[in-house]
Amino acid sequence: KSYSIENLLSDYQYFTQSNLTAMSHTVGAIACGGNAEIENFGDGATAVSYFNHIVSIGNYNAGNYFENLPEYKGYIGLPAYYKTAGDGVSAGSNIKQYTGSGEYIDFSKAFENIASESEGLMEDAYTVTDGDIAGDIYNGFTLTLPFEKSKNIIIPKEIYDKVNYIKLGITDISDISKNRYTVSFTGFINTDISLTFQYIGFSKDNKTKGILSTNGQSFNNDNSLKNKLTDGSIQDGQMNMSGMKLIWNFPDAKSIKSEYTGGHIVAPKAEVTVKDGSGNFEGGIIAKSITNNSAEGHFYPYSAVKSSGSSSSEQPSSSPSTVGGSSSSEQPSSSPSTGGSSSSSEQPS
């Protein structure tokens, strides 16, 4: 498959060009182009995981969430590959050394394409203005994202700096399972970005922005995607089979911190830190590097997970494709991306 953002978010929980630390439960598959420190992962893996170098690793659960779902049993037992591992690292039976020439995934090529698509996601987008901000200095200022004008929104740094809260202007949050909504942050080359999807009280000195759901409340508790996107969810909402297409896009940012994230993070040039103490998040992360010391990653792939056959013998080949990073699910289209600016109507259902 091509290295498109849609393909990668459909296949992987984490996709990093360099180092990855994920010291809690990760439901989806993982691809890491640098050093990997990983705990338990892969209960809902629908693609082959790959690590350039394993520093430490926990259990690879190889699709065990599909045990009681006959139409998805072809995903059970997909291997995870690694190129090299540190001294004394013990990999499980489903984690195999990749002995092919070069890398199983061409991360340089992948991130060249991701960076181009990340810029392309801003084509035909609406740029928010002061007119989209409401509130006061006593209770805080809220930027409501006017998705009725465009499903692609740009937040420039000068607007970001003026607000305390950013609210999704979507009537029904479940629509993000059907249509892509993209929020792009621009002008952050030399500025850290800090977001929380959990409740945050107003403070003039708080540089962390609170992300609010459609009802103006924080994403935690009843508003989390785990509790809102129940169609297609399995394992108490730790995985969603129906797809989730909300993308937080950071084409030029170098440093991002986020907690309790609802949606995918695409940040090809950034070091992304999942804040310590975060309980869980729903979505995937594509970034230069990722550090997550405590939060559980719930796998909400971009596209709906396709059935895979009734037995593991019917699963697609796990051998590397000529492009790299092939997925067993075969969704979405494998044709090369033209830059990530296609309309949501052209995406897989």
Side-chain angles (χ1 to χ4, degrees), residues 91-147:
S93 59
N94 286 319
I95 305 177
K96 305 175 182 180
Q97 186 169 27
Y98 174 64
T99 57
S101 61
E103 299 288 347
Y104 179 75
I105 295 174
D106 187 340
F107 287 95
S108 294
K109 182 177 180 180
F111 272 83
E112 180 181 346
N113 193 67
I114 293 164
S116 176
E117 279 200 38
S118 179
E119 292 285 346
L121 287 175
M122 297 186 292
E123 293 182 9
D124 301 320
Y126 171 80
T127 302
V128 294
T129 68
D130 289 338
D132 299 305
I133 300 173
D136 54 51
I137 60 173
Y138 305 104
N139 299 297
F141 293 94
T142 297
L143 168 65
T144 298
L145 303 177
F147 284 119

Side-chain angles (χ1 to χ4, degrees), residues 35 122 130 150 161 177 179 183 235 243 248 326-327:
N35 296 328
M122 297 186 292
D130 289 338
S150 174
D161 288 341
S177 292
N179 295 294
V183 185
Q235 295 295 320
W248 304 93
S326 66
S327 165

Side-chain angles (χ1 to χ4, degrees), residues 233-261:
S233 67
I234 62 173
Q235 295 295 320
D236 295 324
Q238 292 186 56
M239 183 173 180
N240 191 290
M241 312 292 280
S242 297
M244 188 271 291
K245 298 174 171 58
L246 174 61
I247 296 177
W248 304 93
N249 181 41
F250 305 87
D252 58 12
K254 299 297 193 296
S255 176
I256 301 165
K257 293 181 179 180
S258 185
E259 62 180 348
Y260 298 98
T261 310

